Amino acid sequence: MKLLLTNVGLIKKAEIDYSSNLIILTGPNNTGKTYAAYVLYGLSRIIYDNLFEIKSLGSVGGNSSDDYVKKIKEIENKGSVSFNFEELSKFALNLLNLYLKDNSSFLLAKIFNTTDSDFSNSEIEIQVSNLKNFHKQILLREFETRVALPANAKFKITKKKKDKDLNISLEEPPDLSSSKPSPWSYIDVLLLPLLDLGLSTFLDKDPFIATADCGAIYFFVIVASLTRNDRVDSLLSLSDKDSRKKQDNQQRILFDHFRAQSSRYSIPIRDNVRFTEDLFETKKSQQSTHPQVAELIEKKLLNGSIIVSEEGSVIYQPSRKKISQQYGIHLTSSAIKSLVSLVIYFRHKAKTGSWIIIDEPELNLHPDNQRLIAKILAFIANSGFKVIISTQSEFIIREINNMIRLKTIENAFKELPEEIKAAFKMDLDSALDYANVCVYLFDKKVEKLDINKIGFSVRTIDEAINKLNEQTDLLDSYISD
């Protein structure tokens, strides 16, 4: 899948293929890396709230909502109907892009908690970048969900892995004696969950994000302001797209000023903080498919355990035998604070196939731990998650390249050389196929970097290191023994 951005923040134009398992956004400061990551996250979070508007757009690409509704209504006589899921997904994508064409500035303003005028010339589009991979992804999708309609009518929507079709079946017929008008008149509502499932081919419905902003300040500035933000959200909803059409210019200026003064934080930051605030509820969930990732982070990076108390407080327990004392998270290092939410997410909520978006994972980490987090992120990407990171770390990039080289050697030998086994025995699960890695350099423009069996190079980082080395050599030449 490919995200197309035009005039979004500092990004003039970008095409970002996010179909790979590991997507790396790199480059100098203030070039738009975080913008791109936040747009991917924000779209995934808010687009599903606009399904009714997307559905109402009607016809696109030779198909129409009415055609799908007409077929759905056949359930009344047949008991079940089937749809080609690939065609449904393409239809949902076409409707989404039609919606984005007229609403990009509105959606971006919502994501970044600002005014439409800041994105008045912005455009967003999503495309299928590789048809072969798209076909494969469609076949691998599997799900089962249930929908209830008035008069106790219940429907089941299913798709099995390797099946091309999605099936809707009537599980419990409606009570025709207790509802007027006929409950069958509501059946067109079933198109909404179909569009939901179609769009989920392109946008994860429940992504996770760890923002760079939250490492040191979320316990103080942001958390303190969220309660105030929640109280005014209902008032700010008056400035949604439909209401804005009815406002005169003076009212619009007033709402834009009110929004700017009341809410300074983007959706990714607010979600990241709320996730941390709601640990008591999160702790109740034991649905994670990969709790071992949490244990890996604790063992390799934190040298201790993250515990959520019965009251929802976060506690750090060092693993060293001589230290039995537990510490409130506010007493721990910034490195531990920055990794808390990732540990708790993988312990309680992570689902295979979800998106993991991390802004600058190197923050607060010593170089050896930057190498370790790179290996852990590679392991996560190999475990069925989509990992998207923005980074400026030479150590993370070089370690990713090592994991690509390791996979190249693994593929070339029937059995790994003993020297390689000894050096990388703990890293084999982190070895990366370079075909599953995609790297973008954000500089004067956004460009996709070449990648091969030994990895990739980042021009801006290499230039900075070379310049530093040249200056060091010059200074050393004037220092006598």
Side-chain angles (χ1 to χ4, degrees):
M1 312 308 157
K2 187 184 292 184
L3 174 70
L4 279 64
L5 300 174
T6 303
N7 296 323
V8 177
L10 297 168
I11 301 170
K12 297 302 177 187
K13 205 165 193 64
E15 293 187 5
I16 301 171
D17 187 336
Y18 62 95
S19 54
S20 300
N21 294 351
L22 176 60
I23 300 100
I24 300 170
L25 314 178
T26 188
N29 297 115
N30 301 317
T31 50
K33 302 182 296 295
T34 298
Y35 265 96
Y38 278 19
V39 170
L40 270 173
Y41 176 84
L43 275 182
S44 297
R45 278 278 288 104
I46 68 177
I47 204 64
Y48 294 94
D49 296 333
N50 297 278
L51 282 180
F52 191 82
E53 286 184 66
I54 294 172
K55 167 183 171 290
S56 66
L57 293 173
S59 301
V60 63
N63 293 311
S64 74
S65 297
D66 290 342
D67 293 335
Y68 279 95
V69 170
K70 184 177 180 180
K71 189 168 183 179
I72 289 171
K73 288 183 176 179
E74 293 178 8
I75 298 176
E76 183 176 1
N77 297 318
K78 295 182 178 180
S80 67
V81 292
S82 295
F83 295 92
N84 182 287
F85 188 56
E86 182 171 332
E87 290 181 4
L88 173 65
S89 296
K90 288 180 179 178
F91 174 62
L93 179 61
N94 287 335
L95 283 182
L96 172 62
N97 281 325
L98 199 61
Y99 181 74
L100 291 175
K101 186 176 182 181
D102 293 329
N103 295 278
S104 289
S105 61
F106 168 69
L107 292 171
L108 286 167
K110 194 170 183 179
I111 291 169
F112 291 97
N113 250 317
T114 184
T115 60
D116 299 24
S117 59
D118 288 333
F119 297 101
S120 57
N121 298 315
S122 302
E123 295 178 10
I124 312 171
E125 186 179 350
I126 293 176
Q127 293 181 353
V128 174
S129 56
N130 186 308
L131 283 175
K132 184 178 179 181
N133 286 343
F134 178 63
H135 295 320
K136 182 179 178 181
Q137 184 180 358
I138 289 292
L139 289 175
L140 291 176
R141 291 288 305 278
E142 60 176 341
F143 46 77
E144 180 176 298
T145 186
R146 286 170 169 78
V147 181
L149 292 184
N152 299 316
K154 295 181 181 178
F155 300 83
K156 182 168 73 171
I157 304 175
T158 57
K159 181 188 176 299
K160 296 180 180 178
K161 190 178 289 188
K162 297 184 179 180
D163 279 0
K164 294 182 178 180
D165 290 342
L166 167 154
N167 181 265
I168 309 178
S169 59
L170 178 64
E171 277 198 317
E172 293 186 26
D175 181 0
L176 298 178
S177 64
S178 63
S179 180
K180 292 183 181 182
S182 168
W184 290 110
S185 64
Y186 297 103
I187 201 168
D188 63 321
V189 175
L190 286 177
L191 182 56
L192 293 176
L194 291 189
L195 290 177
D196 183 304
L197 292 166
L199 288 177
S200 66
T201 304
F202 310 98
L203 295 169
D204 183 20
K205 196 170 183 179
D206 190 21
F208 170 83
I209 191 164
T211 64
D213 309 70
C214 290
I217 64 173
Y218 69 75
F219 284 103
F220 304 101
V221 181
I222 301 180
V223 172
S225 69
L226 280 179
T227 301
R228 177 171 59 89
N229 285 334
D230 286 338
R231 288 171 181 169
V232 301
D233 273 349
S234 59
L235 290 174
L236 289 174
S237 67
L238 295 174
S239 60
D240 66 18
K241 187 171 181 289
D242 289 335
S243 298
R244 288 175 71 86
K245 293 178 181 178
K246 302 172 185 177
Q247 296 168 6
D248 59 31
N249 190 53
Q250 187 174 4
Q251 288 175 315
R252 188 169 300 183
I253 291 172
L254 178 61
F255 271 118
D256 287 346
H257 175 75
F258 184 60
R259 178 185 291 277
Q261 293 301 313
S262 62
S263 184
R264 299 288 186 183
Y265 308 109
S266 64
I267 284 177
I269 292 176
R270 295 174 78 175
D271 283 359
N272 198 184
V273 175
R274 287 203 177 93
F275 177 82
T276 307
E277 280 193 303
D278 201 25
L279 295 180
F280 180 74
E281 291 300 320
T282 302
K283 182 183 177 182
K284 295 178 182 178
S285 174
Q286 300 292 338
Q287 299 176 355
S288 174
T289 57
H290 288 73
Q292 68 272 26
V293 175
E295 296 170 7
L296 186 63
I297 295 171
E298 289 175 322
K299 181 179 179 181
K300 297 289 186 181
L301 285 170
L302 303 185
N303 295 314
S305 302
I306 299 298
I307 302 166
V308 180
S309 71
E310 294 301 323
E311 297 77 27
S313 300
V314 184
I315 298 167
Y316 173 68
Q317 171 67 66
S319 58
R320 284 172 286 181
K321 292 181 179 179
K322 293 183 179 180
I323 303 177
S324 59
Q325 184 176 351
Q326 296 180 337
Y327 298 90
I329 202 66
H330 62 288
L331 297 174
T332 63
S333 69
S334 54
I336 293 174
K337 290 187 183 79
S338 65
L339 291 167
V340 164
S341 59
L342 192 62
V343 169
I344 293 170
Y345 173 78
F346 271 101
R347 176 161 291 139
H348 297 287
K349 294 194 69 174
K351 299 273 184 69
T352 304
S354 294
W355 292 8
I356 312 297
I357 303 173
I358 304 180
D359 191 16
E360 300 186 20
E362 66 269 22
L363 286 182
N364 308 308
L365 298 181
H366 188 271
D368 60 346
N369 279 341
Q370 290 183 39
R371 293 184 60 198
L372 283 172
I373 194 66
K375 293 175 185 178
I376 290 171
L377 292 173
F379 173 75
I380 293 170
N382 286 339
S383 301
F385 294 86
K386 184 182 297 298
V387 178
I388 303 169
I389 64 170
S390 65
T391 182
Q392 302 164 72
S393 168
E394 177 203 4
F395 296 99
I396 286 181
I397 288 169
R398 289 185 63 180
E399 196 62 59
I400 293 294
N401 281 335
N402 273 353
M403 293 303 98
I404 291 172
R405 288 180 170 93
L406 181 59
K407 188 66 176 181
T408 299
I409 294 171
E410 189 178 11
N411 290 339
F413 289 81
K414 289 184 178 179
E415 186 173 348
L416 280 175
E418 290 301 321
E419 188 176 10
I420 297 294
K421 278 185 182 178
F424 294 94
K425 61 182 178 180
M426 302 300 294
D427 303 326
L428 296 180
D429 290 335
S430 297
L432 288 165
D433 186 334
Y434 74 88
N436 293 326
V437 181
C438 204
V439 187
Y440 286 88
L441 174 62
F442 287 66
D443 195 8
K444 294 177 182 177
K445 61 179 182 178
V446 180
E447 59 180 295
K448 186 176 183 179
L449 298 182
D450 293 331
I451 186 168
N452 56 36
K453 62 184 180 180
I454 61 170
F456 59 94
S457 62
V458 180
R459 180 182 66 252
T460 55
I461 292 178
D462 292 343
E463 289 171 353
I465 293 172
N466 290 338
K467 186 175 181 179
L468 177 62
N469 289 337
E470 288 171 5
Q471 291 181 338
T472 301
D473 291 343
L474 176 62
L475 292 169
D476 285 349
S477 70
Y478 283 87
I479 299 175
S480 62
D481 293 336

